[in-house]
Amino acid sequence: MSTILITGGAGFIGSHLVRRFVQHYPHYTIVNLDALTYAGNLENLRDVEHAPNYRFERADIRDPQALADIFNRYQPDGVIHLAAESHVDRSISNPMAFVETNVIGTVNLLNAARNLWGSATEGKRFYHVSTDEVYGSLGEEGFFTEETRYDPRSPYSASKAASDHFVRAYFHTYDLPVVLSNCSNNYGPYHFPEKLIPLMLKNIREEKPLPVYGDGKYTRDWLWVKDHASAIDTIFHKGRKGETYNIGGNNEWKNIDLVEALCDIMDGLLGREPGASRRLITFVKDRPGHDRRYAIDASKLKNELGWQPAIQAEEGFRETAKWYLENEEWLLRVSSGEYQRYYEQQYG
Ligand code: NAD
Ligand code: TYD
């Protein structure tokens, strides 16, 4: 393989993936295709932007002509598709944006790959990055496996589920060489502060209320973002055509326990008196249709392809908290303008 097109490379997970591929695979040309929405930020890739094997193309996956042009110019052998609208709360207030980018944008990209490759698909690969949220909500017990029935319950997860179905349909109907993964919640550096962990770290730092939805006993399975990037790398190179792999860190936290842990880590790092930040916790109105619990069984990926996460939660949360304290300028820049309006609307 020589040229790999990564979509959404200026976002949270995409930027870690682009960095990994640019650094680990100097013989690949990595083309980062991103529209630079509110969630995309080229600053996330400052350290690799001058690498000889890196290219950036500002383009919108909703625009088929722009995709045809880029596919013709670069002739990619592989596509790793991450570009998406990714925040559940935004999907509740504006579902159409999720249909347009996550569903129609994905089909545009499938068409671009199919038009370029035709039936000459030897050595080609279309990798679709998805979420565990397509499986719906778990009770106290059990895990999502690759066989779990789809049951999306938010506009975000419904749009990702629809895109997954299209990717599989292109495999069965046109023999497009696809592979998919469904991953649990990620955390780490460059995470946009609309999501739970960076929003809490930002507010703890600024001594603002920490808005916990509902009773706070909703559970998520948290994975260090660089472990997601290493899993994508493994699946892209070793995964079987047409297969789906679940990715997760076996690291479940109830939201309230997680927020308390972040408070304690930040108190330590900021030299505040123990327990000071916990006093900022404020229970607020619940998210409509809030999924109770997500938990991933990643044994297929571990047993078949030998992937393992590299770090444990406590270390990852501490590293993340330190990163947000050391990168105040990044945080201030991404949370100016549009973010202020969003925050006002969401939290009052
Ligand atoms: P993000 O919101 O941080 O980044 C999304 C990126 O896509 C941004 O750079 C944005 O500019 C770009 N983008 C959005 N719309 C676009 C369009 N129309 N055309 C081109 N580019 C566009 O998202 P993320 O958290 O990094 O998630 C990346 C992918 O991983 C998504 O597909 C998401 O569904 C999936 N995923 C995320 C998580 C998670 O915990 N964040 C977990 C599992 C799967
Ligand atoms: P989020 O980071 O939005 O990820 P997702 O909804 O995709 O899992 O939210 C993680 C959990 O945290 C989810 O149960 C909702 C909850 N949450 C809060 O309690 N308060 C908040 O301000 C946010 C953004 C999320």
Side-chain angles (χ1 to χ4, degrees):
M1 279 208 182
S2 55
T3 301
I4 316 246
L5 181 92
I6 298 180
T7 72
F12 166 48
I13 300 167
S15 62
H16 288 279
L17 187 72
V18 165
R19 178 176 299 100
R20 181 183 176 96
F21 269 61
V22 166
Q23 292 175 343
H24 286 209
Y25 302 107
H27 53 294
Y28 291 169
T29 298
I30 304 301
V31 182
N32 172 15
L33 184 162
D34 199 296
L36 301 181
T37 69
Y38 79 91
N41 187 353
L42 287 179
E43 224 181 302
N44 300 358
L45 287 165
R46 191 131 291 166
D47 52 334
V48 294
E49 69 188 0
H50 298 301
N53 62 336
Y54 173 72
R55 310 276 184 282
F56 173 69
E57 288 287 339
R58 186 171 190 175
D60 194 319
I61 59 167
R62 293 171 301 178
D63 178 351
Q65 199 46 54
L67 294 184
D69 173 52
I70 289 169
F71 273 69
N72 282 334
R73 266 193 290 131
Y74 288 99
Q75 307 268 317
D77 309 289
V79 174
I80 309 181
H81 175 37
L82 296 97
E85 290 290 339
S86 67
H87 190 37
V88 173
D89 290 327
R90 288 185 193 253
S91 82
I92 293 169
S93 43
N94 182 14
M96 274 319 281
F98 288 69
V99 176
E100 286 166 8
T101 284
N102 298 2
V103 186
I104 299 173
T106 298
V107 179
N108 285 337
L109 207 60
L110 288 164
N111 286 336
R114 197 177 150 229
N115 289 340
L116 178 68
W117 297 336
S119 54
T121 55
E122 188 60 39
K124 310 288 191 253
R125 174 143 281 202
F126 187 105
Y127 185 151
H128 179 61
V129 174
S130 192
T131 166
D132 62 354
E133 305 194 21
V134 298
Y135 298 123
S137 181
L138 291 165
E140 291 292 310
E141 302 282 310
F143 297 89
F144 297 133
T145 72
E146 290 80 1
E147 274 73 49
T148 303
R149 193 174 70 87
Y150 271 36
D151 183 24
R153 294 148 42 100
S154 74
Y156 165 65
S157 53
S159 69
K160 291 296 291 187
S163 66
D164 294 9
H165 290 320
F166 270 102
V167 173
R168 292 195 185 98
Y170 272 58
F171 169 65
H172 291 292
T173 309
Y174 307 115
D175 204 22
L176 197 76
V178 310
V179 67
L180 299 89
S181 60
N182 294 79
C183 187
S184 63
N185 288 61
N186 287 211
Y187 70 92
Y190 302 110
H191 204 183
F192 194 77
E194 63 187 353
K195 307 278 170 55
L196 179 75
I197 290 181
L199 185 137
M200 293 297 163
L201 293 174
K202 178 173 186 298
N203 286 13
I204 293 169
R205 178 187 189 123
E206 296 169 3
E207 297 182 89
K208 286 191 180 150
L210 308 178
V212 174
Y213 296 163
D215 65 1
K217 295 191 177 138
Y218 295 86
T219 301
R220 298 292 183 264
D221 181 356
W222 292 95
L223 182 71
W224 175 238
V225 63
K226 293 181 190 178
D227 283 331
H228 189 186
S230 80
I232 294 174
D233 187 343
T234 302
I235 295 165
F236 181 72
H237 289 102
K238 301 205 284 189
R240 282 181 292 133
K241 188 170 91 166
E243 291 288 319
T244 296
Y245 297 87
N246 278 357
I247 310 172
N250 207 6
N251 177 37
E252 288 183 55
W253 289 74
K254 287 195 169 48
N255 292 341
I256 186 64
D257 298 336
L258 171 56
V259 172
E260 287 181 352
L262 295 176
C263 287
D264 297 347
I265 292 170
M266 287 288 274
D267 284 348
L269 292 172
L270 289 164
R272 289 184 188 158
E273 123 202 19
S277 298
R278 287 188 182 210
R279 289 198 279 277
L280 299 168
I281 293 174
T282 311
F283 289 91
V284 299
K285 193 158 110 3
D286 211 347
R287 169 188 284 174
H290 197 167
D291 288 338
R292 194 63 172 167
R293 175 171 166 258
Y294 303 143
I296 278 281
D297 175 347
S299 45
K300 177 177 174 182
L301 172 61
K302 290 178 178 169
N303 297 338
E304 207 179 280
L305 306 184
W307 172 84
Q308 286 292 342
I311 72 168
Q312 294 303 311
E314 281 69 15
E315 185 190 346
F317 292 154
R318 178 169 295 278
E319 279 302 303
T320 306
K322 274 206 241 159
W323 187 88
Y324 278 87
L325 288 176
E326 286 161 8
N327 289 274
E328 189 183 10
E329 280 190 15
W330 179 90
L331 193 55
L332 287 177
R333 267 199 292 277
V334 302
S335 53
S336 62
E338 198 273 346
Y339 179 81
Q340 300 296 338
R341 285 189 293 283
Y342 164 78
Y343 199 89
E344 218 19 65
Q345 194 188 7
Q346 181 68 18
Y347 298 97

